[in-house]
C-alpha cells in the first residue's frame, strides 16, 4: 500500500462508522492494476483486526447471468445459489424479489451480531440485479452497523458509473486511485528488489507509469530471471558495471537493429516507428521483458475481443503512439471500421488519447505487445508501413482541438485538411471526403450554414459509392436542416442516414445520426419518436468515440428531461457535466447547450453543476475571442444562473441561430414575468420567443411558451384551418395525432398534458374526439390500432 496513505485513511474513517448520510459507503475506482483489490484486502484485514465482520465478494464477467452473484458469494449463501441452479424457487420477477429479500435479511442478521463490512470488487462486471440492489440496500439498511466498500474499473459511461454517481449524490465518498508518484514507485521497487534501485532500474520502473500491477510484475520477474543483482545495498542490472567500476559485457548496450528482440520505438511522423536501443531505452539491461510481465499483459488482452487484440498487435509496430487514420491505411480498412476495436481498447484502459494521437497507456504494455508479435510478422508490418504514405494528420488534430474547446484552431486545421495542395488525391485515387465532412460539421456548429451547405454538396459527390461517407453526408444534411429550422426534414435525413449505415458497424456514425433524429423529433414535438431514437441509440452511445458519444448523451439527456423531468436527466448526465473541462467542444453541438445544462441543473437543485457549466462556457468564450457565438452562449448560461435580465437580453439579441434566440427570449420572458410590474415586458418578450419558435418549426417549444402566456392571462391561437375527413387516421388534427401518439405510448392524461403544455381537461376532450373518429372504445384498442397503422399509410 505504498503511496496510498490518503486512501487508507478513508478506509479507517469508513470502519470507524463516521455519522452522516452516505458516510457508511466508500466508492473506489481506477484503471486495471491500479490497486483496488489490494485496497479491499487491506480494508478486510483492518476490519478483522477491529473485530468487525467481513463479507467479501467480486463480480465475474462469466457470472453475469447469475443474479446477485457477488452479494450471494460475499454472504456465503451457497445453499441459495444451489437452489437457484435447480430452479427450486419461482422463476422470473418472483425469484429476483425473493433473492433480494434473502440478501437484505441476511445482512440484517449479520449486522445484528456486530458491525459488518461488505466489500465488493470488480463491479464493472456486476449483473443488473446486483447493481439495483446496491442502489437501494445502503440507504435501506442505513440504521444498521453496516459499512460498504465498492470497487470498479473506471470504464466511462456505463451502469456502474450511474450507480456510483447516484450513491455519491446521497453522500457516499468516492475516491479514484491514481498512478503512484515517483517516491512511491521508488519505495515499491526497493521492496520488490530488496535494495535501492540504481538509475537504470529506476528509469525502467518508470515505464510502468505508476501502475502497481505492471510495476510488480516487471520487478519480480526481473529478479526471478536473475537479471538483477544487489551490491552494497543497491540493485543493478546483472551485467552492469559494479561499484568497483567493472565493465559490462561487450555489446550489452548496443543499438538493436529493426526486428531484433530488443527493439523499441517511439512514433515519429504520425506513427512511424524508429528502432532504438536497449531494454530500458539505454544502458545495460538488454533482452526481452520478463515472462511474468508478459503473462500479466496477456491477461489484460484476454479481456478484449480477438479483433481488438489483433489491432493492438498490428499498431504496436508503429510505435507507442499512432494516428488512427494511418493505422487504417496500414490495415487496408476505412477508419470507421476500426472504431469499435479502438473504443474497446480505450474502454479497457489499454489505449489513451493524447493531444495528437492514440497511445498505449503504459510503455511497458506497448513493449510487451510488441514483443509478442513474431519477428517475421513484425518485420513484414514494418516494411508495409514504409510503403504507406503518411495520413492527413490535421483532421485528427482538428477534432482534438475542437473537442478541447480550441475552436478557432480546430477550424483552421480543418480548413487546412479540407484544402490539400493540388495533385494530392486521397488513397482511393480521389479526394477523401472526411476532411470536408469534418469542416462542414464545425461550420454548422458555428452557424456558418451557407459555407457548410456548399461543402456538404461537394462532399456528396465525393462520397458516391462509399456507404459510410454517404451516410455521413446525410447526417450533415440533417444537422443543416435542423439549424435552418426544418425539423421534419432533419428527421427524415437522419432516418435515411441510419438506413444507409445499416450493417456497416460504425457506431460513431449511428451516434450522430440518432442524435440528430432525437433532437429533430423533440423540437418538432414528436416525443414518442424521440424516445424511440433514445432507445435505439443505447448500444451506439456505449460503443461510439467521445466526440460522438458526448453529443449523443446531450441529446439523450434532453429527451429524458422532456419525458421524466430534470432530476432524471441529471442522473444520466453526470459524466457529461464532469467531462466539460476536457471536452468543452460538446457545448458547440447546439448554440444553447450550455444554457440548457444550466437550466436543468438549477431545476434539479444542483447549483454546483450549474456553476461548472458557466465556468466551462466562459472559458470556451475566452479561448475563442474571434468567434461571436461562444460569448453569447456564455452570457445566456450566466444570465440563467444569476437571474440577470441584461445578460439574457444580450443573448436574445446576439445569437445567430433563430432557435437559440427564441430560447434566450423565453428565459428572459420568464424572468420578467416573475418581477413586479414587468408583465407587459414579459408578454412582449414571450411573444417574440413564440414567433421565433414558430418560424423554425419548434412546435413543442412554442406550446410551452403559449402555456407561459396563458399563465400571464394571454391566449395565443395556434391552429390552422384544414379540411379533414370525418373518420380514419387522416381525419385527426395535428393536436389529436400528438395526443394519440402519447396515449398510445402508455402516458396518462396528466402526463400527456404535461408533455403538450395544455390542461388535462384539454387532453381528455381530444381523446374523446379520437375515439369517435377512429371508432375505438379504450386506450388498449387505440394502442393496437396505432401500432397497426405504423405499417401502412392509413389505419382507419
Amino acid at each position: 500500500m505504498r503511496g496510498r496513505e490518503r486512501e487508507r485513511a478513508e478506509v479507517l474513517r469508513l470502519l470507524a462508522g463516521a455519522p452522516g448520510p452516505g458516510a457508511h459507503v466508500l466508492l473506489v475506482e481506477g484503471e486495471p492494476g491500479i490497486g483496488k483489490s489490494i485496497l479491499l484486502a487491506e480494508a478486510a484485514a483492518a476490519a478483522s483486526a477491529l473485530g468487525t465482520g467481513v463479507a467479501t465478494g467480486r463480480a465475474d464477467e462469466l457470472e453475469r447471468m447469475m443474479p446477485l452473484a457477488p452479494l450471494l458469494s460475499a454472504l456465503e449463501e451457497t445453499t441459495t445459489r444451489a437452489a437457484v441452479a435447480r430452479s427450486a424457487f419461482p422463476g422470473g420477477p418472483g425469484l429476483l424479489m425473493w433473492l433480494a429479500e434473502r440478501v437484505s435479511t441476511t445482512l440484517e442478521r449479520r449486522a445484528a451480531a456486530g458491525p459488518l463490512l461488505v466489500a465488493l470488487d470488480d463491479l464493472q462486471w456486476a449483473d443488473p440485479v446486483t447493481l439495483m440492489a446496491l442502489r437501494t440496500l445502503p440507504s435501506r439498511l442505513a440504521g444498521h452497523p453496516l459499512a460498504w466498500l465498492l470497487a470498479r474499473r473506471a470504464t466511462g459511461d456505463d451502469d456502474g458509473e450511474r450507480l456510483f454517481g447516484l450513491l455519491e449524490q446521497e453522500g457516499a465518498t468516492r475516491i479514484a486511485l491514481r498512478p503512484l508518484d515517483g517516491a512511491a514507485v521508488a519505495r515499491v521497487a526497493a521492496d520488490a528488489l530488496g535494495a535501492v534501485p540504481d538509475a537504470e532500474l529506476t528509469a525502467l520502473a518508470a515505464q510502468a507509469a505508476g501502475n502497481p500491477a505492471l510495476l510488480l510484475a516487471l520487478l519480480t520477474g526481473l529478479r526471478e530471471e536473475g537479471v538483477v543483482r544487489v551490491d552494497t545495498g543497491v540493485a543493478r542490472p546483472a551485467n552492469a558495471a559494479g561499484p568497483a567500476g567493472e565493465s559490462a559485457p561487450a555489446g550489452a548496450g548496443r543499438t538493436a537493429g529493426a526486428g531484433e528482440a530488443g527493439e523499441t520505438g517511439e512514433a515519429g511522423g504520425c506513427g512511424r516507428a524508429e528502432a532504438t536501443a536497449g531494454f530500458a531505452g539505454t544502458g545495460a539491461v538488454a533482452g526481452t521483458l520478463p515472462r511474468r510481465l508478459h503473462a500479466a499483459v496477456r491477461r489484460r488482452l484476454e479481456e478484449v475481443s480477438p479483433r481488438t487484440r489483433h489491432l493492438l498487435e498490428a499498431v504496436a509496430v508503429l510505435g507507442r503512439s499512432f494516428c488512427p487514420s494511418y493505422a487504417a491505411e496500414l490495415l487496408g480498412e476505412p477508419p470507421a471500421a476500426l472504431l469499435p476495436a479502438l473504443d474497446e481498447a480505450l474502454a479497457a484502459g489499454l489505449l489513451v488519447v493524447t493531444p495528437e494521437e492514440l497511445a498505449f497507456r503504459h510503455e511497458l504494455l506497448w513493449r510487451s505487445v510488441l514483443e509478442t508479435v513474431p519477428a517475421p510478422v513484425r518485420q513484414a508490418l514494418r516494411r508495409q508501413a514504409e510503403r504507406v504514405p503518411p495520413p492527413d494528420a490535421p483532421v485528427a488534430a482538428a477534432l482534438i482541438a475542437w473537442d478541447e474547446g480550441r475552436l478557432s484552431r480546430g477550424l483552421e486545421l480543418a480548413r487546412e485538411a479540407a484544402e490539400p495542395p493540388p495533385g494530392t488525391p486521397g488513397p482511393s485515387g480521389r479526394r477523401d471526403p472526411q476532411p470536408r465532412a469534418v469542416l462542414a460539421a464545425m461550420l454548422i456548429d458555428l452557424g456558418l450554414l451557407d459555407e457548410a451547405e456548399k461543402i456538404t454538396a461537394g462532399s456528396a459527390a465525393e462520397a458516391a459509392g462509399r456507404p459510410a461517407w454517404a451516410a455521413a453526408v446525410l447526417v450533415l444534411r440533417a444537422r443543416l436542416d435542423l439549424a435552418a429550422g426544418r425539423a421534419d426534414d432533419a428527421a427524415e435525413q437522419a432516418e435515411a442516414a441510419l438506413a444507409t449505415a445499416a450493417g456497416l458497424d460504425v457506431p460513431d456514425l449511428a451516434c450522430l445520426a440518432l442524435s440528430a433524429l432525437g433532437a429533430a423529433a423533440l423540437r418538432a414535438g414528436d416525443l414518442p419518436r424521440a424516445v424511440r431514437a433514445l432507445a435505439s441509440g443505447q448500444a451506439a452511445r456505449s460503443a461510439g468515440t467521445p466526440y460522438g458519444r458526448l453529443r449523443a448523451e446531450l441529446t439523450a439527456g434532453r429527451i429524458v428531461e422532456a419525458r421524466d423531468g430534470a432530476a432524471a436527466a441529471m442522473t444520466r448526465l453526470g459524466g457529461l457535466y464532469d467531462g466539460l473541462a476536457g471536452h468543452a467542444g460538446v457545448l458547440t453541438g447546439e448554440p444553447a447547450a450550455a444554457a440548457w445544462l444550466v437550466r436543468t441543473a438549477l431545476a434539479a437543485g444542483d447549483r454546483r453543476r450549474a456553476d461548472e457549466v458557466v465556468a466551462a462556457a466562459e472559458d470556451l468564450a475566452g479561448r475563442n475571442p474571434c468567434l461571436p457565438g461562444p460569448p453569447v452562449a456564455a452570457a445566456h448560461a450566466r444570465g440563467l444562473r444569476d437571474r440577470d435580465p441584461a445578460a439574457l437580453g444580450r443573448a436574445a439579441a446576439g445569437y445567430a441561430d433563430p432557435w437559440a434566440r427564441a430560447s434566450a427570449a423565453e428565459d428572459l420572458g420568464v424572468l420578467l414575468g416573475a418581477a413586479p410590474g414587468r408583465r407587459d415586458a414579459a408578454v412582449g418578450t414571450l411573444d417574440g420567443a413564440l414567433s421565433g419558435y414558430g418560424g423554425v418549426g419548434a412546435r413543442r417549444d412554442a406550446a410551452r411558451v403559449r402555456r407561459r402566456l396563458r399563465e400571464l392571462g394571454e391566449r395565443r391561437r395556434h391552429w390552422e384551418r384544414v379540411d379533414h375527413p370525418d373518420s380514419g387516421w387522416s381525419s385527426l388534427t395535428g393536436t389529436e395525432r400528438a395526443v394519440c401518439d402519447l396515449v398510445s405510448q402508455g402516458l396518462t392524461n396528466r402526463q400527456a398534458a404535461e408533455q403538450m403544455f395544455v390542461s388535462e381537461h384539454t387532453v381528455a376532450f381530444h381523446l374523446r374526439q379520437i375515439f369517435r373518429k377512429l371508432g375505438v372504445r379504450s386506450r388498449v384498442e387505440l394502442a393496437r390500432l396505432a401500432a397497426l397503422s405504423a405499417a401502412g399509410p392509413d389505419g382507419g
Side-chain angles (χ1 to χ4, degrees):
M1 292 297 290
R2 297 290 193 183
R4 301 296 189 209
E5 290 75 16
R6 183 180 68 85
E7 291 81 1
R8 186 185 291 108
E10 288 290 350
V11 168
L12 294 176
R13 183 199 63 78
L14 174 73
L15 297 176
H24 55 296
V25 182
L26 180 60
L27 310 172
V28 180
E29 61 187 6
E31 67 176 82
I34 203 65
K36 301 180 295 295
S37 298
I38 294 176
L39 180 64
L40 264 63
E42 290 278 342
S48 297
L50 293 171
T52 296
V54 177
T56 61
R58 79 171 54 237
D60 188 288
E61 191 172 15
L62 300 179
E63 285 194 347
R64 281 184 167 178
M65 298 302 293
M66 172 68 76
L68 292 169
L71 279 163
L72 293 172
S73 174
L75 298 172
E76 300 179 349
E77 288 287 303
T78 53
T79 56
T80 300
R81 297 177 72 174
V84 171
R86 295 196 308 270
S87 299
F89 295 93
L95 171 62
L96 298 181
M97 293 177 63
W98 184 88
L99 284 172
E101 284 302 316
R102 179 65 177 256
V103 167
S104 179
T105 301
T106 303
L107 285 169
E108 290 178 351
R109 186 183 69 250
R110 296 266 310 258
L116 177 66
L117 169 67
V118 180
L120 301 178
D121 200 0
D122 286 334
L123 290 178
Q124 73 276 1
W125 288 322
D127 63 277
V129 184
T130 295
L131 296 176
M132 183 68 70
L134 293 176
R135 172 70 186 91
T136 59
L137 285 174
S139 56
R140 178 178 174 182
L141 303 176
H144 296 75
L146 272 170
W148 298 82
L149 181 54
L150 310 178
R152 63 180 283 274
R153 291 184 186 178
T155 57
D157 183 19
D158 57 11
D159 291 337
E161 167 60 29
R162 283 187 278 277
L163 169 66
F164 273 36
L166 289 168
L167 293 175
E168 187 179 18
Q169 288 180 16
E170 294 177 356
T173 298
R174 185 169 179 169
I175 57 176
L177 294 183
R178 305 297 182 191
L180 300 178
D181 60 23
V185 167
R187 293 197 297 273
V188 171
D191 293 341
L193 298 173
V196 177
D198 72 350
E200 187 171 347
L201 287 176
T202 298
L204 178 59
Q207 294 183 16
N211 184 281
L214 286 179
L215 180 62
L216 287 172
L218 169 71
L219 297 173
T220 306
L222 290 176
R223 189 162 189 179
E224 288 174 345
E225 297 177 15
V227 182
V228 175
R229 62 186 173 89
V230 176
D231 289 311
T232 62
V234 177
R236 296 184 175 85
N239 54 359
E246 307 98 306
S247 298
R254 66 183 177 85
T255 299
E260 294 182 17
E263 69 184 355
T264 64
E266 290 299 334
C270 194
R272 291 189 179 275
E274 298 175 359
T276 56
F279 189 81
T282 60
V285 186
T288 60
L289 294 167
R291 291 184 294 274
R292 180 183 285 268
L293 178 66
H294 284 314
V297 171
R298 187 165 57 250
R299 287 192 295 271
R300 290 279 306 277
L301 294 176
E302 287 171 353
E303 296 177 2
V304 298
S305 65
R307 174 170 171 76
T308 299
R309 288 200 302 273
H310 296 156
L311 172 64
L312 293 172
E313 291 166 354
V315 299
V317 303
L318 301 178
R320 183 181 173 187
S321 62
F322 60 93
C323 288
S325 53
Y326 187 55
E329 290 298 322
L330 175 67
L331 298 174
E333 299 188 52
L338 301 186
L339 286 177
L342 290 174
D343 201 60
E344 183 181 19
L346 288 165
L350 298 167
L351 297 179
V352 293
V353 178
T354 71
E356 299 295 337
E357 302 173 314
L358 297 179
F360 286 84
R361 179 179 287 273
H362 308 98
E363 187 168 354
L364 286 178
L365 174 65
W366 163 63
R367 291 181 55 195
S368 177
V369 173
L370 181 64
E371 287 186 11
T372 61
V373 179
V377 177
R378 189 163 61 237
Q379 292 167 7
L381 286 169
R382 286 193 184 281
R383 286 193 294 269
Q384 181 180 347
E386 291 301 321
R387 294 193 296 268
V388 176
D392 199 6
V395 174
L399 287 171
I400 290 170
W402 196 265
D403 187 49
E404 293 174 347
R406 296 181 288 120
L407 307 183
S408 296
R409 178 57 176 161
L411 186 62
E412 177 186 349
L413 290 169
R415 290 189 187 281
E416 178 184 333
E419 298 296 337
T424 56
S428 64
R430 53 182 165 165
R431 290 185 62 183
D432 186 350
Q434 183 194 21
R436 294 168 64 78
V438 169
L439 176 59
M442 292 179 177
L443 292 168
I444 294 170
D445 280 355
L446 296 176
L448 303 175
L449 303 187
D450 290 341
E451 185 180 357
E453 176 64 50
K454 180 179 179 182
I455 292 173
T456 300
S459 297
E462 295 163 356
R466 305 163 79 174
W469 294 123
V473 169
L474 288 169
V475 171
L476 290 173
R477 292 201 180 282
R479 295 191 58 207
L480 277 166
D481 284 336
L482 191 61
R486 300 184 293 268
D488 292 329
D489 292 343
E492 295 304 320
Q493 294 284 2
E495 294 274 20
L498 289 170
T500 303
L504 294 180
D505 192 22
V506 188
D508 217 47
L509 187 56
C511 256
L512 294 171
L514 287 164
S515 177
L517 175 60
L522 192 62
R523 188 172 294 184
D526 191 346
L527 183 63
R529 191 179 194 180
V531 171
R532 289 194 295 272
L534 173 68
S536 300
Q538 184 172 355
R541 287 194 302 277
S542 64
T545 62
Y547 176 83
R549 186 169 63 237
L550 290 173
R551 290 180 176 228
E553 279 302 317
L554 177 64
T555 302
R558 299 197 72 150
I559 296 171
V560 170
E561 187 272 336
R563 183 186 62 186
D564 303 323
M570 291 297 293
T571 297
R572 87 173 289 131
L573 287 174
L576 189 148
Y577 279 96
D578 290 338
L580 284 178
H583 300 284
V586 72
L587 295 181
T588 67
E590 61 177 74
W596 181 83
L597 288 168
V598 169
R599 189 184 305 112
T600 304
L602 292 176
D606 195 335
R607 175 78 180 198
R608 177 178 66 85
R609 295 286 201 196
D611 290 342
E612 290 172 353
V613 177
V614 172
E618 292 186 332
D619 180 65
L620 187 67
R623 285 191 285 170
N624 299 277
C626 297
L627 297 177
V632 177
H636 191 178
R638 186 175 59 254
L640 271 172
R641 183 197 62 181
D642 298 343
R643 300 182 60 81
D644 181 352
L648 292 175
R650 289 195 299 273
Y655 275 123
D657 181 89
W659 183 88
R661 281 201 305 272
S663 175
E666 180 185 359
D667 288 327
L668 177 58
V670 170
L671 186 60
L672 294 174
R678 305 298 302 273
R679 178 189 176 281
D680 290 345
V683 169
T685 304
L686 289 173
D687 274 334
L690 181 61
S691 176
Y693 285 140
V696 296
R699 293 187 284 274
R700 185 173 191 276
D701 302 303
R704 185 180 59 247
V705 174
R706 283 193 293 270
R707 184 188 67 182
R708 297 191 190 283
L709 285 165
R710 287 196 300 272
E711 291 169 351
L712 293 174
E714 299 286 331
R715 300 188 67 85
R716 297 293 181 265
R717 176 174 175 170
H718 61 282
W719 60 86
E720 297 178 358
R721 182 70 180 177
V722 178
D723 291 330
H724 293 282
D726 292 333
S727 62
W729 285 106
S730 57
S731 71
L732 301 183
T733 67
T735 302
E736 288 167 351
R737 283 185 177 274
V739 170
C740 181
D741 285 340
L742 293 170
V743 171
S744 298
Q745 293 288 322
L747 274 67
T748 65
N749 285 9
R750 175 175 296 180
Q751 291 169 329
E754 291 172 351
Q755 293 298 329
M756 298 180 66
F757 306 103
V758 296
S759 70
E760 190 174 349
H761 172 76
T762 300
V763 170
F765 169 79
H766 286 300
L767 194 57
R768 288 193 297 272
Q769 295 295 99
I770 294 168
F771 281 11
R772 178 183 61 79
K773 291 180 178 181
L774 298 182
V776 298
R777 298 182 179 181
S778 70
R779 292 169 180 264
V780 174
E781 289 184 67
L782 177 61
R784 182 183 61 80
L785 199 59
L788 291 174
S789 74
D794 194 336

